[in-house]
Structure formats: structure tokens, C-alpha cells
């Protein structure tokens, strides 16, 4: 029997606007007893085909792969990955000698909900956020090899922590094609420390690439504090931009180790840099007010809507502390990567921080995620990274 999902009457409205999620509350019946992660066709209550996607247990019950009645086979993956690769190529990210890191697939932004693929030199790191993408991982990997050819020699699958924890699947991390390769990941000429095996996410926050490039232009002669540094990308940019001193802070000792390694690789023996494994709030509390460029790039304070209020208080407190201590005329790069916090809510939290710190603040830039992390216009939830560059008088 065909595996089909039939919607409740009138519940196709968001799908007519190409939103790629179907919530469990919109479903009337499920036919053919599909297993979690299988491909299902979705029909309106009146029996009209509307979408095809991966079914999953949970509040998002179907993630739409196509609004056309087409088979989800190797040809489908080839088509989607080719479109994704061509976009990165047109952005100038794929064929440079001094740069070999980019995001090839950004979930809904590339019409592939639940899938992330990041490329580091000859290695692709693939991450499934849905059971369906997990089930189809080998077909996707094989299509990826065809699309990228000799440009990749290994595909590392890393979904242990991103798949729904209740799903009954074998979720081991490891190479599913090829093996390790010793080439150096490069971001605009900088050697980046990337540890996709034990690092966070796929090993690097690629999404801050253009913001790091902007920071580089502002760092000449400045004393820089890179708070929540992770692998130290902003610190490397500041050092190359001619900063007077750069201090990197992260609560993770492993992150500090990676940062120090990255600085040593790019600027051996450079005495301008120091790194501290410490809690951000404690450091901001105890530090001397010596910095005139501060970066605040914390982890997502709100992972769910319920945590929104606390998250906004967190952003307000963090920014207030930094604004109280930054040197007059200092520049603050401040970010939120929480998907549930909107641009306006984040800006309001920073506004309140400025008022409470009693400092006059100007917005110089409004930042966001880069073009290889595209936002599907029908899925505004995909706009997650927000940043402000402020001058604090
Ligand atoms: N700016 C980084 C990415 C930051 S990710 C880049 O460009 O790559 C967020 C980082 O915050 C993680 O490395 C995490 O270890 C760190 N972190 C989380 N909670 C923290 C805290 N309370 N104090 C300091 N660092 C923290």
C-alpha cells in the first residue's frame, strides 16, 4: 500500500505558500504505516497531491522535499546537490587557492530540510537533523561524490548529537566514504583549526566568515576581546588586521587549545595574543576596562520558544556588561544565533543594555548569516544569525 499522509480539511494553507514543514496537528490520517524517516506523499483532505517529504515522530511530522509529485531517488539528490553546488560556485567560494571552506547545503535554505553539508578542503562533513536524511545518507553521499568528483575524497557523517534522541536508529559518527585527508582548511588565506571529529557542530562556525572579514578591517591598533571565541576565528582576523593585543575567552578548555593552535599556525611566536578558559560573565566582571573592540558571539541562549524570555535577559546582561567596560569610542560586534529570537527582539535587548549602561551607542552595521547559508523566503525561521556592530561613546 502506498504511504500517504492525508491532511485535515483546510490545513494545506501553509503548504500552498511553500512552507516546508507539516505539523502533526494538521494530519488527519496516515496510510500504509510508514516507518519513521520514510518518504511519504501528502494529500489534501479533498485528495489533491500537495507535497512529498520525510515523515518523523514529533511536532514537525513531515519535512517537505518537493512540492512536485516526483520520486525521491538518486536523481533527485543529484539535482538538489547540483543546484546547491552551483550557487556556491557562483558565490566564488569553490575555486580559490586561498579558500576551501564553505557550506554546501543549508537545510531548508537549499530545499533540503534536515540536511547540512560543510566542506573543508577535500572533506565533506554531513549532518542529519531529521531521521529521513539519516535514512537516505548513503544515497546523498553517493550523489555528492558525483557532483563534486575529485574535489572531495572523504565524507564524514556526524549526526550523533543532532538526530532526535528518541529515534531508534544506529547513529554512529564516522567516515561513510573515503577517509581522513591532511589538507589544511583555509578561510580567505587563514589556516583554520577545524576538528570535525570532536569539535562543536561540523568543526567550525563557517557562518561568521564575512563578519570576521569585516572585523579585520576594524582591528588596526585596537585592543581586542574575543568573547566566546571557540576556535578563535575572530582572533585570527583581528591579528591579521593589525590589532595591538587580542585576548580570546571561552569556557571550553578544548576551544582554547584549538584557538592557541590556530594562532601559532598562522602567527608563530606572536606575543600579541593570550587566551583564557573562563566563564564569560566572570571574565567581564573581573577584567580591566582596557578593550576598545569587543566581540560577543555566545551560543544560542534560546533553543526553544519557552526559553525566549530568559534568553533576552541573557543578551541584555551580557551586552550591558560589555558596554559598561568598553573604552570610549570602542566598537562592539554583538551577535545572537538563536533561531527563536527575532532581529527586532535582539535589537531591543541591546537597546536596553545601552540604556542601562548609560552609554551613547550608534549602529554601524547590521549583520547576518552569509550567502552560503541562504534563507528560503518561504521559511523565515531560517534567518537565525543576527549581529550588530556598534560604536559605544
Ligand atoms: N565566535 C566563534 C563561535 C562561538 S560558539 C567563532 O567565530 O567560531 C559559542 C562558544 O561559546 C562555544 O565555543 C562555547 O564553548 C562557548 N561558551 C558557552 N558558554 C560559555 C560561557 N558561559 N562562557 C564562555 N564561553 C562559553
Amino acid at each position: 500500500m502506498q504511504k500517504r499522509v492525508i491532511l485535515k480539511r483546510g490545513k494545506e494553507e501553509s503548504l500552498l505558500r511553500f512552507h516546508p514543514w507539516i505539523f502533526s496537528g494538521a494530519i488527519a490520517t496516515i496510510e500504509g504505516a510508514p516507518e519513521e524517516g520514510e518518504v511519504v506523499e501528502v494529500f489534501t483532505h479533498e485528495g489533491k497531491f500537495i507535497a512529498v517529504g520525510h515523515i518523523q515522530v514529533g511536532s514537525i511530522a513531515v519535512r517537505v522535499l518537493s512540492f512536485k509529485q516526483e520520486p525521491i531517488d538518486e536523481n533527485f539528490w543529484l539535482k538538489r546537490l547540483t543546484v546547491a553546488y552551483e550557487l556556491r560556485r557562483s558565490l566564488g567560494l569553490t575555486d580559490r587557492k586561498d579558500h576551501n571552506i564553505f557550506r554546501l547545503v543549508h537545510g531548508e535554505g537549499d530545499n533540503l530540510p534536515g540536511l547540512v553539508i560543510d566542506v573543508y578542503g577535500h572533506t565533506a562533513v554531513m549532518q542529519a537533523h531529521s531521521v529521513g536524511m539519516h535514512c537516505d545518507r548513503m544515497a546523498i553521499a553517493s550523489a555528492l561524490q558525483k557532483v563534486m568528483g575529485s574535489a572531495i575524497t572523504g565524507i564524514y557523517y556526524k549526526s550523533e548529537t543532532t538526530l532526535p534522541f528518541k529515534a531508534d536508529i544506529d547513529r554512529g559518527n564516522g567516515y561513510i566514504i573515503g577517509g581522513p585527508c591532511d589538507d589544511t582548511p583555509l578561510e580567505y588565506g587563514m589556516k583554520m583549526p577545524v576538528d570535525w571529529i570532536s569539535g562543536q557542530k561540523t568543526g567550525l562556525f563557517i557562518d561568521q566568515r564575512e563578519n570576521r572579514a569585516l572585523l579585520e578591517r576594524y582591528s588596526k591598533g585596537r585592543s581586542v576581546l574575543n568573547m566566546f571565541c571557540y576556535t578563535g576565528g575572530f582572533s585570527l582576523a583581528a591579528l591579521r588586521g593589525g590589532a595591538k593585543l587580542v585576548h580570546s575567552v571561552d569556557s571550553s578548555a578544548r576551544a582554547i587549545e584549538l584557538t592557541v593552535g590556530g594562532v601559532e599556525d598562522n602567527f608563530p611566536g606572536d606575543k600579541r595574543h593570550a587566551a583564557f578558559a573562563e566563564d564569560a560573565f566572570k571574565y567581564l566582571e573581573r577584567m580591566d576596562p582596557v578593550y576598545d573592540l569587543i566581540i560577543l558571539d555566545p551560543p544560542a541562549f534560546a533553543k526553544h520558544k519557552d526559553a525566549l524570555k530568559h534568553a533576552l535577559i541573557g543578551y541584555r546582561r551580557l551586552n550591558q556588561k560589555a558596554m559598561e567596560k568598553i573604552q570610549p569610542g570602542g566598537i562592539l560586534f554583538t551577535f545572537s544565533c538563536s533561531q527563536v529570537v527575532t532581529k527586532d527582539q535582539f535589537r531591543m535587548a541591546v537597546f536596553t543594555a545601552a540604556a542601562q549602561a548609560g552609554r551613547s551607542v550608534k549602529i554601524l552595521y547590521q549583520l547576518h548569516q552569509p550567502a552560503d547559508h541562504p534563507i528560503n523566503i518561504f521559511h523565515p525561521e531560517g534567518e537565525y544569525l543576527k549581529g550588530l556592530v556598534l560604536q559605544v561613546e
Side-chain angles (χ1 to χ4, degrees):
M1 186 178 178
Q2 217 187 349
K3 314 211 167 178
R4 293 162 30 127
V5 164
I6 315 295
L7 298 178
K8 289 181 185 159
R9 197 176 297 283
K11 287 294 183 186
E12 65 275 22
E13 207 181 303
S14 65
L15 295 166
L16 294 171
R17 281 180 274 111
F18 305 114
H19 192 282
W21 295 344
I22 299 173
F23 290 98
S24 54
I27 294 177
T29 48
I30 298 176
E31 297 174 355
E35 300 264 337
E36 186 169 25
E38 271 195 83
V39 169
V40 292
E41 291 194 338
V42 183
F43 293 82
T44 65
H45 202 261
E46 291 73 29
K48 193 168 158 267
F49 170 87
I50 192 139
V52 52
H54 282 138
I55 194 162
Q56 189 164 312
V57 178
S59 138
I60 304 175
V62 180
R63 286 173 169 80
V64 173
L65 296 165
S66 178
F67 291 97
K68 283 203 302 217
Q69 200 160 13
E70 61 179 322
I72 305 304
D73 53 11
E74 180 164 354
N75 192 36
F76 171 83
W77 300 116
L78 264 177
K79 258 188 332 196
R80 283 286 147 93
L81 293 179
T82 302
V83 169
Y85 187 66
E86 284 307 317
L87 170 62
R88 279 63 185 181
R89 186 148 66 174
S90 73
L91 295 171
L93 290 169
T94 59
D95 298 310
R96 292 172 61 136
K97 283 224 154 41
D98 64 341
H99 184 93
N100 58 21
I101 302 174
F102 58 92
R103 175 156 290 193
L104 173 66
V105 173
H106 184 61
E108 286 81 357
D110 286 293
N111 295 318
L112 289 167
L115 182 67
V116 163
I117 301 176
D118 285 341
V119 174
Y120 299 106
H122 290 85
T123 304
V125 183
M126 189 166 135
Q127 197 157 62
H129 292 254
S130 71
V131 180
M133 288 300 184
H134 173 78
C135 295
D136 283 333
R137 64 196 182 284
M138 293 316 296
I140 298 168
S142 145
L144 179 58
Q145 269 193 309
K146 292 208 172 94
V147 172
M148 292 195 62
S150 60
I152 51 161
T153 54
I155 302 179
Y156 187 80
Y157 184 64
K158 186 182 188 187
S159 302
E160 227 161 38
T161 56
T162 54
L163 284 165
F165 66 94
K166 283 192 196 132
D168 181 20
I169 45 181
D170 166 23
R171 57 185 70 226
N173 287 346
Y175 285 92
I176 52 175
I177 296 221
C181 167
D182 59 2
D183 53 3
T184 307
L186 291 172
E187 178 178 288
Y188 296 154
M190 196 78 78
K191 293 180 222 158
M192 300 303 268
V194 183
D195 176 1
W196 52 78
I197 296 182
S198 61
Q200 300 178 38
K201 307 268 169 158
T202 68
L204 179 72
F205 287 82
I206 301 177
D207 56 3
Q208 290 286 22
R209 176 187 64 239
E210 304 303 327
N211 302 332
R212 289 191 274 262
L214 179 69
L215 175 107
E216 186 171 335
R217 291 175 19 208
Y218 275 93
S219 34
K220 197 167 182 56
R222 290 193 184 264
S223 299
V224 179
L225 171 62
N226 180 11
M227 187 55 84
F228 308 97
C229 66
Y230 188 39
T231 54
F234 282 109
S235 304
L236 297 174
L239 288 166
R240 188 163 68 184
K244 191 159 71 187
L245 73 87
V246 179
H247 289 167
S248 306
V249 179
D250 198 288
S251 56
S252 147
R254 174 69 183 138
I256 292 301
E257 204 180 304
L258 286 163
T259 297
V260 169
V263 172
E264 203 41 43
D265 261 2
N266 289 283
F267 309 96
D270 198 318
K271 294 278 182 298
R272 292 174 297 157
H273 182 254
F276 308 92
E278 203 171 325
D279 173 74
F281 285 93
K282 288 197 181 126
Y283 188 90
L284 288 166
E285 202 59 62
R286 76 161 174 88
M287 74 186 195
D288 293 327
V290 293
Y291 304 107
D292 55 4
L293 205 180
I294 298 181
I295 301 117
L296 298 175
D297 184 23
F301 281 169
K303 297 228 158 69
H304 303 284
K305 279 221 163 69
D306 316 343
L308 179 61
K309 201 169 144 219
H310 275 103
L312 293 174
I313 296 172
Y315 289 120
R316 199 264 297 145
R317 279 182 54 218
L318 183 65
N319 282 277
Q320 186 179 337
K321 263 282 150 277
M323 286 179 190
E324 280 166 4
K325 293 235 174 153
I326 198 166
Q327 282 285 310
I331 306 268
L332 180 60
F333 277 65
T334 183
F335 296 96
S336 162
C337 61
S338 305
Q339 188 160 326
V340 298
V341 173
T342 67
K343 218 166 20 186
D344 290 341
Q345 286 167 328
F346 178 59
R347 187 157 151 182
M348 185 55 83
V350 176
F351 164 100
T352 312
Q356 297 198 344
R359 304 285 297 262
S360 166
V361 168
K362 292 183 187 124
I363 299 176
L364 309 184
Y365 292 92
Q366 308 197 44
L367 305 179
H368 41 79
Q369 65 216 57
D372 54 344
H373 294 57
I375 303 160
N376 176 345
I377 201 157
F378 303 116
H379 178 256
E381 298 91 330
E383 182 173 6
Y384 70 101
L385 183 63
K386 302 150 287 275
L388 293 168
V389 182
L390 308 169
Q391 193 201 36
V392 185
E393 296 195 347

